Amino acid sequence: MTAATGPVAVLGATGVVGRAAVRMLTRLGIGELRLGARTIGGVACGPVPPGAEVRRVDADDPASLARFCAGARLVLNCAGPSYLLVDRVARAALTAGSDYVDVSGDGPAYRLLDGSPLVTGERTAVLSAGMLPGLANIVPRLLADDLTGARLVVYAGGIEPFAAASAGDLALSLDSSDGAAAGHWYGETLAAWSGGCRRRNALPVREDLEVAGFPGRVTTMPFLTADAERLARTTGLDDLHWYNVFVGSALRLTLTRLRGRVGSDPATLAAVAAEIGAAAGLDLAGLDPFYLMAFTVHRPGRTDTAVLRTPSSFELTAATAAYAVEAVLAGKIAAGLHYADEVLDPRGLLDAVAALGALPVFQTHQHAHDEPMEIGSL
């Protein structure tokens, strides 16, 4: 198969992430773009880079998707929910002879694509090229070259409007702890990586806490994702405790009520996503949107912390994806199937997303002791 030529095709170009990705690709000098969405008017009403091609495409229609991918040098997927698309867009892109970058995809898409002839030739496919888990799995590698035997504690959360696709992904993840979602395990509430293995019901939900960087009193909910567990396995972490931080109560209570009740049919999913979006809106009232992640790596005699804060997780996801696209186009990533955090240059990525304006705050700090970080101090 010859090397792909042609435009970079952005699927989901009218979404929050897609629009930001188009802006950032343009800033990086990637000028030949093909923008795709279900509704052409949605693209036309927004800023379209000069010379960009606009096409109507339906990711649920194989023929439409194949036409959109045909002739593209690379396809960037910003559409969702990823839990429903899984490997569908990747297969269409790779079949068309295009390289592929996905802001999500994650483990389920990887497992479905792994070993496929589509990714054993000349083409490159990079999954999880967004803020979570891509960027989030890269930051600990900046804090320590060797994480073997270390303990990683993460506090992540914020408050911002939910895009429909993101709300759908969150809704579908609520019922995935037992692998119910198409046989894929996405993560589990209260679970942790401890002593070198996954442990269920290892950590409690804690309410009415103060956590540095978050406004007011918050709730921390442990959640071990499949990709966090992959990070722990591949780096040799002894412990990984990940806490989702909820500012306000509306979203947390809504997610608790919905757990175990989410169907994957479009009508049910749309209604649930709307509930999640409304709850996030209630929590956001009167606050400036933000998303914050604090990573602390504990090793014998040394503790290091990194703090990231962005006004928009969607912008940070788009910036990460744009950097991944640029890296693939420049031939910096070998052919084959990859997770973004395993092939992107950590320092290059952080510098790039900061230069694109998506990460105004990134700070690291070395502690003078080996004690675990207390809630309320970074």
Side-chain angles (χ1 to χ4, degrees):
M1 185 182 296
T2 59
T5 58
V8 170
V10 181
L11 182 66
T14 59
V16 178
V17 173
R19 293 196 303 270
V22 169
R23 292 197 310 272
M24 293 175 184
L25 289 170
T26 302
R27 286 187 58 184
L28 290 174
I30 301 170
E32 191 178 359
L33 297 175
R34 177 183 297 165
L35 312 183
R38 280 192 174 94
T39 305
I40 291 293
V43 177
C45 291
V48 177
E53 177 187 5
V54 178
R55 288 194 186 184
R56 180 180 290 108
V57 56
D58 184 349
D60 293 329
D61 180 348
S64 173
L65 195 54
R67 288 192 298 271
F68 178 73
C69 296
R73 181 181 180 186
L74 181 149
V75 175
L76 169 61
N77 181 33
C78 298
S82 62
Y83 285 64
L84 297 182
L85 292 177
V86 199
D87 62 332
R88 188 187 314 159
V89 182
R91 287 184 179 277
L94 295 166
T95 298
S98 308
D99 290 323
Y100 183 69
V101 174
D102 198 325
V103 300
S104 189
D106 307 338
Y110 191 101
R111 286 187 289 274
L112 291 169
L113 292 168
D114 194 21
S116 168
L118 294 172
V119 287
T120 55
E122 299 177 10
R123 299 278 67 80
T124 300
V126 181
L127 306 181
S128 303
M131 184 187 77
L132 287 168
L135 181 68
N137 274 16
I138 283 176
V139 173
R141 305 174 198 269
L142 285 172
L143 292 177
D145 293 332
D146 185 0
L147 292 168
T148 304
R151 178 172 182 256
L152 172 63
V153 180
V154 184
Y155 291 95
I159 187 66
E160 56 187 349
F162 263 96
S166 299
D169 273 338
L170 180 56
L172 288 167
S173 74
L174 295 175
D175 296 332
S176 64
S177 63
D178 60 356
H184 301 299
W185 184 78
Y186 291 91
E188 185 171 353
T189 304
L190 309 185
W193 184 262
S194 183
C197 64
R198 184 200 312 166
R199 299 187 186 278
R200 305 188 71 179
N201 299 313
L203 300 169
V205 174
R206 301 182 67 181
E207 300 180 331
D208 197 31
L209 301 176
E210 290 186 356
V211 178
F214 294 90
R217 305 188 74 83
V218 301
T219 296
T220 60
M221 182 178 293
F223 191 81
L224 180 67
T225 67
D227 283 283
E229 180 173 305
R230 175 174 59 82
L231 173 68
R233 288 184 184 277
T234 57
T235 60
L237 282 168
D238 192 48
D239 295 293
L240 195 165
H241 295 180
W242 183 291
Y243 297 92
N244 287 338
V245 180
F246 290 89
V247 177
S249 60
L251 179 59
R252 177 179 58 84
L253 293 174
T254 297
L255 297 181
T256 300
R257 176 174 54 80
L258 291 172
R259 183 166 285 111
R261 304 177 184 178
V262 179
S264 59
D265 63 282
T268 300
L269 184 60
V272 170
E275 284 191 65
I276 290 174
L282 287 175
D283 286 336
L284 181 59
L287 298 175
D288 292 327
F290 78 96
Y291 197 92
L292 184 145
M293 293 187 287
F295 302 80
T296 301
V297 174
H298 304 279
R299 292 169 290 167
R302 177 166 179 164
T303 300
D304 296 89
T305 292
V307 179
L308 295 77
R309 183 182 174 104
T310 175
S312 170
S313 66
F314 307 111
E315 294 272 332
L316 189 51
T317 287
T320 301
Y323 177 79
V325 168
E326 185 181 48
V328 172
L329 295 180
K332 296 179 180 178
I333 299 177
L337 178 64
H338 309 281
Y339 288 110
D341 60 275
E342 295 179 350
V343 292
L344 296 182
D345 173 61
R347 177 50 59 185
L349 172 60
L350 268 294
D351 290 344
V353 297
L356 287 168
L359 187 63
V361 176
F362 176 67
Q363 301 171 345
T364 59
H365 175 65
Q366 181 180 344
H367 302 259
H369 53 77
D370 185 41
E371 295 301 317
M373 185 187 78
E374 296 294 332
I375 290 179
S377 64
L378 296 179

